[in-house]
Amino acid sequence: MRDTAENRSDRLKEDEIEAQGKTLYLGSKHSDFRITFYEKGYEQAEKFGKELNPDWNRYELRFRHKKAVRLVEELLKDRDVARIALSVLNEKVRFLQKPENSTVTRKRLYPTYPPWEELMQDVGKIKLTMNPEKKTLERTWQWLNVAVSPSLKLMDKIGKLDNRDYIRQLIERGQMNEEQQRIYEDYKKSFLLREEERRIFDRTYTENDTDKESPYSE
């Protein structure tokens, strides 16, 4: 969500420039999720000749590919579309207000912009994270095992004769494509989640164990 873009439309008049509305995009146009904010009132006034309502704004959450699949899974569990949309929005975006006369420079420490805080009050958060694609990883491993490992074995043996680590050179020079990077990020998230669950379990187990009185204590 670090990529942003803004478009505005104007109409040149004899003595002024008349605003026709602005659009704010959050997120890359190539990503699986993008947010669009635009001034709907200007669009409707232009399209249907209605009286301008400058306070009519529209927020669009655009999902593609696997993010769209995860969204549908959430909708199947809870048919409250507005709640799910707001929860995704709340998880992805927070508008800030720079404190006056403050030495704070890190934006993440800025307070939330009050109107946005009011809009998001009592709204939860939903993360549309993906589980690792086990089948894809298995296919990759199978391909490496059958088609690549013999060549790696050859280069490893030659490397020992030449006293050079050719396999390490290949790894360092390699560049993952977009699909491979996404699989890695999904696996990493799942791994970290499992690690956190294990830490919680270990901590709980340790606490419960120390609470018990030892049968050998005096």
Side-chain angles (χ1 to χ4, degrees), residues 103-158:
T103 59
V104 176
T105 57
R106 298 183 65 185
K107 289 187 175 63
R108 67 178 58 188
L109 299 179
Y110 287 2
T112 303
Y113 181 53
W116 186 256
E117 187 173 31
E118 181 181 357
L119 178 64
M120 289 299 164
Q121 63 182 349
D122 302 324
V123 175
K125 295 183 179 182
I126 291 180
K127 289 187 177 183
L128 299 180
T129 54
M130 304 298 299
N131 293 323
E133 295 186 62
K134 187 175 181 181
K135 291 184 179 180
T136 302
L137 289 173
E138 288 178 351
R139 286 198 299 267
T140 302
W141 176 255
Q142 191 67 20
W143 175 75
L144 288 171
N145 190 45
V146 174
V148 180
S149 59
S151 297
L152 292 177
K153 185 72 172 180
L154 170 63
M155 296 309 301
D156 181 61
K157 286 183 171 294
I158 292 178

Side-chain angles (χ1 to χ4, degrees), residues 195-208:
E195 283 289 295
E196 179 62 23
E197 290 174 346
R198 280 194 290 268
R199 283 196 293 271
I200 294 173
F201 173 80
D202 291 342
R203 186 164 61 249
T204 303
Y205 179 82
T206 303
E207 291 172 353
N208 291 339

Side-chain angles (χ1 to χ4, degrees), residues 59-73:
Y59 312 141
E60 290 185 357
L61 280 64
R62 301 178 179 180
F63 302 87
R64 301 169 64 240
H65 305 312
K66 297 187 181 300
K67 279 287 194 299
V69 173
R70 281 289 293 115
L71 177 68
V72 171
E73 291 173 352

